[in-house]
Amino acid sequence: MPLTVDIIKRLQGFTLNVSLTAEAGVTALLGASGSGKSMTLRCIAGVEKPDEGRIVLDGRVLYDSGEKIDLPPQERRVGYLFQRYALFPNMTVLQNIDAGLSRERDARIKQAKRESLISRFRLDGLEQRYPRELSGGQMQRVALCRMLAAEPEAILLDEPFAALDSHLRWQLEGEVKQTFSEFSGVALLVSHDRGEVYRMSQRVCVLNDGASEPVLGTAELFDHPRTLQAALITGCKNCVPAEILSQGVIHVPDWNARLACAQAADGAITHTGIRAHYILPCAAEVENALYCRVVEAADDVFSRVLTLLPAGGTGTIRVELSRAAGERFTSGGEGWFCLPKEHIMLLRETHER
């Protein structure tokens, strides 16, 4: 049941240009605020209209600018969970759920579905409450319940935990993951939280200023991002310009370093990157060892964060060590640190469309 999106929408400041195919399961749209994630969902749901392009769900054309097809939202069979849930404030929990069951005409089947959903989402006893009388977690469960009551072929979740206190997110993330596991169609999850994306999705599409990059497996994206933006948005703290010297060797001017790398290179590479937790203290003779001065040493909640300046370099390197491994390093100290070649990323400036 694939969802294919190939659209252009011109907005103030940038043009949304998205081309992706999402298969059954969870595909995340990951990007910075203002990159076009929510607008993409709104176009799929029919709340916004693209300027041109095509949207097809399981062979059904939802939108086609060339053929003048633009199905209204209620005919798209797409469930859309807004950031703040958009429950009907003047309706009870039961009435909100019944709004999702409006297509069901058989009273007995409707009642059976209603009871099943209320039980599944643990809403027993809340049926006559209004949204203003619910907690954030309860509102989210009602919104999910209403969305799934309509039996959508695709579900779209727009930062579903953004309106929740941090202590609620972990529990509700588990509930949403369970919902995903029981849904056989396509699910798109919008988020700028990389941890949330890593835990909840099988595939990811990075959006950068309105332009989509190729859909990759979640683990592949985090282990081997292909572009500078993908590396940054997935949390890499060390990204600097680099040039290829030969296959397997790069020069990094900011770090005054010549580094071996395991990844195959091509002429389009413009930057390199390495995640802070992969860099470790080492002996001088270790491959990719850099002698560095500790510019700053600061304790995080569970780690010690070092800011290093390589000898002869102009750009710093961030390192994250365990408290035990990092306690001997203090500001002004010096030492050798290894950048393992298997964790050196080779990055393009942008994706070639």
Side-chain angles (χ1 to χ4, degrees):
M1 186 182 287
L3 169 67
T4 301
V5 181
D6 193 355
I7 57 172
I8 293 175
K9 184 172 178 64
R10 297 170 186 88
L11 302 163
Q12 186 173 5
F14 76 99
T15 297
L16 182 68
N17 187 349
V18 174
S19 180
L20 68 90
T21 296
E23 304 291 343
V26 185
T27 299
L29 301 184
L30 179 62
S33 297
S35 61
K37 305 183 303 297
S38 295
M39 180 58 70
T40 300
L41 292 197
R42 293 172 68 85
C43 288
I44 295 169
V47 179
E48 296 279 352
K49 183 178 179 179
D51 291 312
E52 58 185 273
R54 204 162 187 260
I55 303 172
V56 181
L57 174 60
D58 195 27
R60 267 191 322 119
V61 179
L62 308 184
Y63 172 80
D64 189 316
S65 57
E67 298 295 329
K68 309 298 184 185
I69 298 172
D70 185 17
L71 296 186
Q74 60 271 23
E75 294 182 16
R76 295 196 176 199
R77 303 297 298 272
V78 172
Y80 188 8
L81 184 67
F82 293 84
Q83 284 187 16
R84 296 191 177 271
Y85 315 133
L87 297 175
F88 298 115
N90 60 333
M91 292 185 180
T92 64
V93 167
L94 191 60
Q95 290 169 332
N96 267 279
I97 295 170
D98 279 349
L101 290 166
S102 60
R103 297 166 63 94
E104 181 55 67
R105 301 303 179 190
D106 188 302
R108 288 179 299 178
I109 295 176
K110 186 173 184 176
Q111 179 62 24
K113 289 182 177 180
R114 180 190 296 129
E115 292 175 355
S116 175
L117 287 164
I118 288 172
S119 175
R120 174 182 170 187
F121 286 94
R122 304 192 318 280
L123 297 172
D124 307 84
L126 302 177
E127 293 92 337
Q128 300 308 315
R129 292 191 186 181
Y130 289 89
R132 63 180 178 274
E133 301 171 314
L134 303 175
S135 69
Q138 289 168 338
M139 284 193 289
Q140 186 189 67
R141 294 205 301 271
V142 174
L144 283 167
C145 191
R146 183 184 64 183
M147 179 179 67
L148 294 176
E151 299 181 342
E153 295 176 1
I155 56 177
L156 315 175
L157 277 68
D158 191 355
E159 301 202 41
F161 311 111
L164 301 175
D165 293 335
S166 58
H167 71 278
L168 280 175
R169 292 185 183 186
W170 186 258
Q171 175 188 350
L172 293 171
E173 183 181 303
E175 294 178 357
V176 172
K177 284 178 70 174
Q178 182 64 28
T179 298
F180 284 154
S181 71
E182 296 169 356
F183 182 66
S184 61
V186 173
L188 286 185
L189 170 69
V190 154
S191 180
H192 62 263
D193 185 321
R194 58 183 179 273
E196 190 175 290
V197 165
Y198 193 87
R199 293 187 297 270
M200 298 191 67
S201 69
Q202 291 87 49
R203 294 167 295 278
V204 184
C205 177
V206 171
L207 265 65
N208 181 14
D209 290 334
S212 61
E213 296 191 4
V215 176
L216 298 176
T218 303
E220 180 185 0
L221 174 69
F222 279 80
D223 289 342
H224 302 290
R226 300 176 182 177
T227 65
L228 176 61
Q229 176 63 18
L232 293 171
I233 203 67
T234 56
C236 184
K237 303 297 193 299
N238 300 307
C239 291
V240 290
E243 56 190 32
I244 305 299
L245 295 181
S246 62
Q247 197 60 242
V249 182
I250 59 173
H251 176 230
V252 186
D254 285 11
W255 298 341
N256 188 34
R258 179 187 177 102
L259 299 174
C261 56
Q263 185 179 340
D266 63 44
I269 298 302
T270 60
H271 288 73
T272 189
I274 184 168
R275 299 193 189 279
H277 59 276
Y278 286 134
I279 303 171
L280 298 172
C282 68
E285 63 272 14
V286 171
E287 185 178 42
N288 284 0
L290 301 182
Y291 192 72
C292 303
R293 178 168 58 87
V294 180
V295 177
E296 182 180 12
D299 287 335
D300 205 342
V301 180
F302 301 112
S303 62
R304 175 153 257 205
V305 180
L306 307 179
T307 302
L308 307 178
L309 182 65
T314 58
T316 57
I317 303 174
R318 179 185 171 111
V319 176
E320 295 177 15
L321 303 174
S322 68
R323 287 280 187 90
E327 64 181 1
R328 64 188 177 93
F329 294 102
T330 58
S331 298
E334 297 181 338
W336 290 93
F337 290 83
C338 174
L339 283 61
K341 69 177 182 181
E342 62 271 20
H343 296 302
I344 298 287
M345 304 172 184
L346 301 182
L347 308 168
R348 298 169 178 259
E349 181 75 48
T350 58
H351 167 64
E352 295 181 353
R353 297 186 65 86

